[in-house]
Amino acid sequence: GRDRAIAGTGRPGGAGRRMKATWLWLLGATAVLGGAIVPLALGGRDALAAASHVSPTAGAELIGLALASAIARAIKLRLLALRLGQRVGVARALITSLASDAAFQATPAGAGGYPATVFLLRRGGVPMPAGVAMCAADQALDTLFFVLALTLACAFALGDAVPESWHAFAWVPAAAVALAALLIVGAWRSHRRWWPRLRRAVLRVRWLRQRRTRLRAFRNHFLDDIARLRRGSPLVTLALACAVAAQWTARYAALALALAALGHPLHFGLVFVAQSVALHAAQWTGVPGGVGGGDVALAGALSPWAPLAVLGPALLLWRLTTFHAVLLAGAVAFACDRRRIEPAMIATAET
């Protein structure tokens, strides 16, 4: 600890790292406050009063949706680990789900979510290559879900109140996600062409060149794990599909439930599509959880069907459920986490 303190104060980069950490904390605190202030600003002075009059039953249902989403992701992680032959307990899977969801929400563009997942799985004994492969499969499953769900929702589930032109352009949001997925698949299938040049460029870095053997072993383990994830029992694949659908349906149902609790229900397909487009676009702002941009975009998208006096308190309840409650649950999960596997055993498993 003394050496690290000396290194942090003596090196020129120490002050820069401290400054960066300070800005990250400030950005996170701003997002937490903005998650409550922006919906209140949109709904006016009566937004807080309207949200406080929601029945306890509706509040319990909102909490239940958040918990169901976290449990569904924990099941998904356990199923992915099962396919790799890794043993992940119920407590480890739930802690990883809650804490990594908080990392997704608390970091700009969700950049900390998957590193937190790998870290927490590794604390439970899952080797790092297997954890990275599980995160890659997790992202692939989520992308496939949104490609299918957005297409079906836009084509069949937007309701009669939506203009016919929306149905005509039902393919647009799903096509954008599908295009990104196709680019990733195309890059992977053509890696024999571009990988040798990239490898030569990467190995010019001395630090990477010195760790070439370790990186090669990591790559080989990762590719083996990806191949194993692509195979397996159809029953496990079906269970994975159900877990992914339950995770995101529960998460995206919170706003629809909040609107219904305020006496202004909207069609679930409409709310689902509006959230999908608004939140994914708001991630590009770099603000944790898409706070601010996502709220304004959602209010604008849903304003033809609901007044701001209703959207304001609904967005406040939605943020409290999908952002603030997730951060709180993640902090509790981090506090409850106890390392069960010794680091030396993990290193041995990885090598």
Side-chain angles (χ1 to χ4, degrees):
R2 178 175 175 270
D3 294 337
R4 286 193 296 268
I6 293 174
T9 55
R11 293 180 183 177
R17 284 192 294 271
R18 290 195 301 274
M19 181 68 71
K20 182 178 180 181
T22 301
W23 277 108
L24 287 175
W25 278 106
L26 287 174
L27 183 61
T30 302
V32 170
L33 293 175
I37 293 174
V38 173
L40 291 175
L42 290 171
R45 68 174 68 180
D46 296 329
L48 184 59
S52 64
H53 286 101
V54 172
S55 67
T57 302
E61 290 173 346
L62 287 170
I63 295 174
L65 286 176
L67 184 59
S69 178
I71 292 175
R73 184 162 187 261
I75 293 173
K76 178 172 62 173
L77 292 174
R78 289 202 74 194
L79 291 171
L80 290 172
L82 175 65
R83 181 159 280 185
L84 290 178
Q86 299 292 334
R87 188 172 182 177
V88 176
V90 175
R92 172 58 50 183
L94 190 56
I95 286 174
T96 302
S97 175
L98 292 170
S100 60
D101 276 350
F104 275 117
Q105 297 288 351
T107 53
Y114 287 124
T117 303
V118 174
F119 169 75
L120 290 163
L121 288 173
R122 192 171 185 267
R123 285 173 67 98
V126 178
M128 186 177 294
V132 175
M134 289 172 62
C135 287
D138 188 4
Q139 181 60 62
L141 289 170
D142 291 347
T143 302
L144 182 60
F145 168 78
F146 279 103
V147 169
L148 296 175
L150 281 172
T151 302
L152 294 174
C154 289
F156 304 109
L158 288 180
D160 297 333
V162 177
E164 191 63 30
S165 59
W166 283 45
H167 295 276
F169 290 99
W171 56 272
V172 174
V177 182
L179 179 61
L182 287 175
L183 289 175
I184 295 173
V185 172
W188 172 254
R189 294 182 67 87
S190 62
H191 74 278
R192 295 182 182 276
R193 299 178 182 177
W194 53 264
W195 172 248
R197 286 177 290 181
L198 178 62
R199 179 176 176 273
R200 288 193 296 268
V202 167
L203 289 179
R204 291 177 184 175
V205 181
R206 182 180 177 183
W207 182 87
L208 295 174
R209 192 166 58 249
Q210 291 174 343
R211 292 160 176 78
R212 182 187 305 182
T213 302
R214 185 181 299 178
L215 292 173
R216 185 182 292 117
F218 176 88
R219 181 200 63 187
N220 293 336
H221 285 305
F222 172 75
L223 294 178
D224 289 343
D225 289 332
I226 288 292
R228 293 169 68 186
L229 286 172
R230 292 168 59 186
R231 302 188 297 268
S233 168
L235 186 60
V236 175
T237 302
L238 177 61
L240 278 170
C242 293
V244 174
Q247 174 192 350
W248 291 111
T249 302
R251 177 70 62 87
Y252 278 53
L255 181 56
L257 179 58
L259 287 166
L262 291 167
H264 203 100
L266 294 181
H267 203 282
F268 177 73
L270 173 63
V271 179
F272 178 85
V273 172
Q275 285 183 88
S276 300
V277 176
L279 289 180
H280 284 81
Q283 288 291 338
W284 291 98
T285 63
V287 179
V291 169
D295 305 74
V296 173
L298 269 175
L302 297 176
S303 59
W305 299 277
L308 286 178
V310 174
L311 287 174
L315 290 173
L316 176 61
L317 292 172
W318 168 70
R319 278 298 182 189
L320 291 175
T321 303
T322 62
F323 184 69
H324 296 88
V326 169
L327 293 180
L328 179 60
V332 173
F334 268 121
C336 293
D337 187 25
R338 295 292 183 269
R339 181 175 298 186
R340 296 178 178 271
I341 307 297
E342 292 296 328
M345 296 176 63
I346 301 174
T348 303
E350 290 176 347
T351 56

